[in-house]
Amino acid sequence: MQHASELRGRVAVVTGASSGIGRATAIGLAAAGARVVVNHRAGGDSQARAAAVAEAIQRQGGSAVTAAADISKEAEVEHLFAQALQHYGRLDILVNNAGVEHSAPIADMTLADWQRVIDVNLTGHFLCARAAARLFPSQPELPARQGLAAGNILFISSVHEVIPWAFQVNYAASKGGVSMLMKSLAQELAPARIRVNSIAPGAIRTAINQPAWDTPESLARLLQLIPYGRIGEPEDVARAAVWLASDASDYVTGTTLFVDGGMTLYPEFRGAG
């Protein structure tokens, strides 16, 4: 049986890989042998953070390049995948990770607030998945992998694909959409031996949700929602991503793996009724 972390020879694009879950996933895939395209947004400090991720991979003996793209824009997505081919000549794994939040009460949420979240979290994931699905069948199989998956698409979703989230209706709607996007693509692409799965993280220690854990009081409130009793780390998600990207999970497609410490068990109902 092939080791679960064996990704040698394969190429992965990880969107939104300059920080948080994307950063940990890029590093994890590289540690398992994949060559990684570290996607980041243009401008700001994203480029410097992406370069630091690539440098960390290279220091560990891996191979990585950075590539700027706003995944909500079709032309930039096409350029991103062209860069992957230019650097590495193929693509085997897409990790659709990039995402944004913009909270507001529904009465105050502007169309721009709604559209930006949907554009990145759902439309952007569609654009990247489409680019990968077009590319996978056109490239030769790696000799050691004949008969296994011809390509692997992994969405990073959220527990909020099933847990409603007041004041975040745009985000929750986008993740609910990702769930059905993943399942429908898995059904469509399975005959072409393209596997499609999702990871739905719960509370993870990243900058995007720092207010939920950066004081003892806020952390205590958060832990009431997590039966396992700890907040997740980006590496918890990265390890799951490496497994789903590997041949050890070759018979798994159309599945969402919840990495949430039990948050989707609705712990507030424990002992009730």
Side-chain angles (χ1 to χ4, degrees):
M1 181 180 296
Q2 185 169 352
H3 191 273
S5 64
E6 182 55 71
L7 299 176
R8 189 170 296 110
R10 277 170 264 184
V11 175
V13 167
V14 183
T15 67
S18 63
S19 63
I21 289 171
R23 176 185 185 277
T25 299
I27 291 172
L29 292 171
R35 294 166 288 171
V36 181
V37 178
V38 179
N39 164 249
H40 62 93
R41 290 176 297 178
D45 63 349
S46 293
Q47 182 171 347
R49 289 189 281 113
V53 174
E55 290 166 8
I57 289 170
Q58 292 159 2
R59 283 197 304 271
Q60 295 173 0
S63 177
V65 295
T66 63
D70 179 344
I71 67 161
S72 70
K73 301 185 184 307
E74 185 175 23
E76 295 193 28
V77 168
E78 295 302 316
H79 182 61
L80 168 63
F81 283 80
Q83 286 180 284
L85 289 182
Q86 178 183 343
H87 285 291
Y88 291 126
R90 63 179 296 113
L91 177 69
D92 304 278
I93 300 160
L94 165 65
V95 181
N96 255 326
N97 167 75
V100 296
E101 291 181 15
H102 196 117
S103 63
I106 186 63
D108 300 329
M109 186 173 288
T110 66
L111 179 58
D113 295 337
W114 169 270
Q115 197 68 60
R116 179 57 181 164
V117 173
I118 297 297
D119 283 351
V120 174
N121 295 8
L122 185 55
T123 303
H125 284 211
F126 153 74
L127 290 171
C128 291
R130 186 185 66 177
R134 287 172 171 173
L135 181 57
F136 289 147
S138 68
Q139 57 191 13
E141 288 184 312
L142 294 171
R145 301 194 61 254
Q146 291 182 355
L148 297 170
N152 199 314
I153 298 172
L154 179 59
F155 293 91
I156 304 300
S157 182
S158 166
V159 293
H160 293 294
E161 71 173 49
V162 296
I163 299 176
W165 201 8
F167 310 106
Q168 293 269 13
V169 297
N170 46 5
Y171 185 85
S174 73
K175 296 303 183 178
V178 164
S179 174
M180 289 308 297
L181 172 62
M182 179 276 289
K183 292 176 183 178
S184 299
L185 286 180
Q187 185 186 69
E188 178 178 339
L189 298 176
R193 292 190 299 108
I194 297 171
R195 296 199 295 119
V196 189
N197 293 287
S198 290
I199 296 174
I204 306 296
R205 198 187 307 270
T206 62
I208 198 170
N209 60 14
Q210 186 170 348
W213 54 262
D214 67 350
T215 68
E217 295 77 17
S218 59
L219 179 59
R221 287 193 298 270
L222 178 60
L223 291 178
Q224 292 177 7
L225 302 176
I226 307 173
Y228 200 58
R230 71 169 175 89
I231 190 172
E233 303 295 339
E235 290 73 20
D236 290 311
V237 180
R239 285 189 290 270
V242 169
W243 180 72
L244 282 171
S246 78
D247 293 338
S249 62
D250 189 65
Y251 202 48
V252 179
T253 194
T255 293
T256 297
L257 176 58
F258 287 86
V259 180
D260 66 351
M263 181 176 280
T264 45
L265 299 175
Y266 293 92
E268 54 267 45
F269 283 92
R270 187 170 182 263

